[in-house]
Amino acid sequence: MTTPYPFTAVVGMDDLRLALLLNAVSPAVGGVLVRGEKGTAKSTAVRALSALLPQVGVVAGCRFSCDPAAPDPLCPDGPHGNEPTVHRPSRMVELPVGASEDRLVGALDIERALAEGVKAFEPGLLAEAHRGVLYVDEVNLLHDHLVDLLLDAAAMGASYVEREGVSVRHASRFLLVGTMNPEEGELRPQLLDRFGLTVEVAASREPGSRVEVVRRRLAYDDDPEAFAARWEEQEGALRERIAAARALLPEVTLDDGVLHRIAATCAAFEVDGMRADIVMARTATALAAWAGRTAVTADDVRQAALLALPHRRRRNPFDAPGLDEDKLDETLAGPAAEPDAGEGGEGPDDDPDPGSGGPGGRGPDDQGPQDPGGQASGGAGDSGPSEGGVPAQGSPQAPERPAARAWEPFRAKVLTVPGLGEGAAGRRSRARTEHGRTTGSRRPRGALTKLHLAATVRAAAPHQRARGRAGRGLVVRADDLRQATREGREGNLVLFVVDASGSMAARRRMGAVKGAVLSLLLDAYQRRDKVGLITFRGRDASLALPPTSSVDAAAARLDSLPTGGRTPLAAGLLKAHDVLRVERLRDPARRALLVVVTDGRATAAGGGDAVGQAARAARLHAAQGVASVVVDCESGPVRLGLAASLATALGATAVTLDELRADSIAGLVKDVRGGRTAHGGERTAHDRITGQARRAA
């Protein structure tokens, strides 16, 4: 719609509105990452903010929005002299999740640069967003290399485009706002740190607030212009307050006492690096300016910490977000903090300022599950499937036991899918990608993006005499250009099939199993995989978590996993077959890795050959070439070797819990098809160990 929803008409969302306004006052704060469930007005609030920003003056005809008062001396459209000034509204530029690198940073025409010697550059979204707002919806779904480019430009205030030795640089300073639904996957901690502030948003559970949200939205949808007119007075007042705060900002002072408070707070929460200290200082300064003060108070520091630190204390996706506010208050009041920098004036008003009240929904720190004693070594010492009062397999359905806690995760060995894929960029299996080492060349299909210079010269060289340029320089034509082909890594779909039956229900063993799966989940997070979780117990299998990028959601389902009952292994494998079939239709390029966590035992609901049924289900996966690995959880003095037999039916490698450890010498698991030798025969465990020792030597 052409008429944006008024910012002051947004109901609640105090933290979100305050964080956006602080960045409007001081863009140096570094932007906002908005985390929350779907349907919580994240996008509406961001779009509404752009209408509040003051107009900007730009050099007429400059595609890079240079400021007439201080034009960029290196502007590709410059140098600028006495061009007229044009005033226009601040832009809000949206970056689509599926955008290409050229769309983001701009495209350099290599063909014209080589053939004509002309540096032709088409600006991208980073140039368009200069001196405005760059909004990235679902930033967690953006490819990592695009996020890196985006955040580098935000940090440096400039964008660089390099193509085969030809470079273009232009200014790119903008207010960066990203939104994400944590259920769809997390950003890496290194990327989280690049956002200045973060806020968590959730729909109100108070009926009165929900009614008001619906009432206002329906009124806006019926007549946007009339609805906006009713809020114009509040919008005007907020614009004036933003302008006044911007003017006051240079006069706000930070003395040593305030800086000591900030440093003590960052140290107490053990955040990495110094960016948190700098962001807190800038945020506290913006808070003071927003309140109309020239001195920063302890309350400003506290509010700045609640906005700037929650995402920086996360070390892995299983850490709970948020800050322990009691610890924060204790730190600010402790002896490490110097006296307050100034007398505390009152904080921001309630309306139109959304900054009143502390951030809601922030719980105490949760450091995750701890090792109850021992390591995930395969559960040696467990006495078998009936340990701890759990009925042996084959008995009637047993009551559920309390869920066993996962043991401490460890660094897992790399499991990969064989062959060469073409899936989404990641860090697991080999694939043809846009980024990586150059492996060859081909003719361009569409626009040329990565020139293979040597191949281009070889293609052009035989034609120089015919082109009349023999001995007088190289003539390159469009038909000579060659695109570089590159090999990198892709992310895969890692589908876990976990046995939660009575044969696995001994608490010590199940804790070790959960710890191993948790370790593999952490590895999947680091390698940018999608994950899914199937569990089987009792009479059937269930899809505990449909394939998703949210490994913390998988960890949460795993933590509460009940155990006990029969072992319908065949049902688990057939459920996995159905899930993989649907996922192949949704994303044919993403290859799957099936991880079956079991001791290999099986029972059938109506009797019959349960092991044979499981083998037949396994052969379905083998026939479709699904890459698989079986994590053998069998323990105790008597071992049946059923998991190894299952691995043979799957065409997979069987590894023990101990062999999953990256520092284990019990076996090397580099490839899930590594259980076969080059001549096609089966490798024994002795062969794998010997091969590992030989390579290490």
Side-chain angles (χ1 to χ4, degrees), residues 99-313:
S100 65
E101 180 179 339
D102 285 347
R103 183 71 184 100
L104 177 62
V105 301
L108 192 62
D109 193 333
I110 298 297
E111 297 180 24
R112 292 188 63 189
L114 288 176
E116 305 174 28
V118 176
K119 187 187 291 186
F121 180 70
E122 184 65 28
L125 296 177
L126 290 179
E128 189 177 347
H130 181 45
R131 305 176 68 201
V133 178
L134 182 60
Y135 173 51
V136 189
D137 194 13
E138 307 295 353
V139 65
N140 52 323
L141 303 183
L142 203 63
H143 284 182
D144 280 358
H145 74 280
L146 292 183
V147 177
D148 288 333
L149 290 170
L150 175 67
L151 296 179
D152 283 344
M156 296 186 295
S159 175
Y160 296 84
V161 184
E162 300 282 348
R163 293 289 188 275
E164 305 301 333
V166 182
S167 64
V168 172
R169 173 246 177 235
H170 64 83
S172 183
R173 293 183 295 276
F174 46 82
L175 167 56
L176 176 63
V177 182
T179 61
M180 60 175 282
N181 183 350
E183 293 180 357
E184 296 173 338
E186 286 286 354
L187 281 171
R188 289 184 285 131
Q190 296 90 334
L191 302 182
L192 284 172
D193 185 54
R194 302 297 289 272
F195 282 93
L197 310 179
T198 186
V199 292
E200 300 273 347
V201 296
S204 173
R205 299 297 185 259
E206 206 281 314
S209 296
R210 298 175 73 95
V211 167
E212 187 61 24
V213 169
V214 175
R215 182 183 292 119
R216 293 185 186 183
R217 186 70 208 193
L218 293 177
Y220 171 75
D221 291 341
D222 287 342
D223 191 341
E225 290 78 11
F227 183 82
R230 291 201 297 271
W231 291 88
E232 184 54 40
E233 183 177 348
Q234 291 94 324
E235 294 282 287
L238 196 53
R239 287 191 194 95
E240 293 177 3
R241 187 169 179 184
I242 291 173
R246 281 188 169 187
L248 183 62
L249 187 65
E251 301 178 26
V252 178
T253 58
L254 273 170
D255 67 13
D256 287 346
V258 172
L259 291 176
H260 273 87
R261 289 182 186 273
I262 291 171
T265 302
C266 293
F269 284 97
E270 299 180 347
V271 296
D272 295 332
M274 295 299 299
R275 185 174 283 118
D277 304 63
I278 296 170
V279 171
M280 274 189 64
R282 288 172 174 166
T283 305
T285 302
L287 281 163
W290 181 246
R293 291 183 271 102
T294 58
V296 175
T297 68
D299 286 341
D300 295 331
V301 175
R302 185 183 191 278
Q303 182 70 69
L306 291 170
L307 293 172
L309 297 187
H311 59 305
R312 291 188 166 87
R313 56 162 295 277

Side-chain angles (χ1 to χ4, degrees), residues 387-402:
E387 178 183 332
V390 179
Q393 67 172 28
S395 63
Q397 176 67 43
E400 291 184 3
R401 297 190 48 162

Side-chain angles (χ1 to χ4, degrees), residues 647-689:
T648 300
L650 280 168
T653 299
V655 297
T656 66
L657 290 171
D658 188 54
E659 288 174 334
L660 277 178
R661 291 179 173 272
D663 56 357
S664 170
I665 61 171
L668 180 64
V669 186
K670 283 291 187 182
D671 192 297
V672 297
R673 295 294 177 91
R676 297 186 181 274
T677 62
H679 53 76
E682 293 292 331
R683 282 201 315 182
T684 65
H686 176 269
D687 292 330
R688 291 198 301 272
I689 298 169

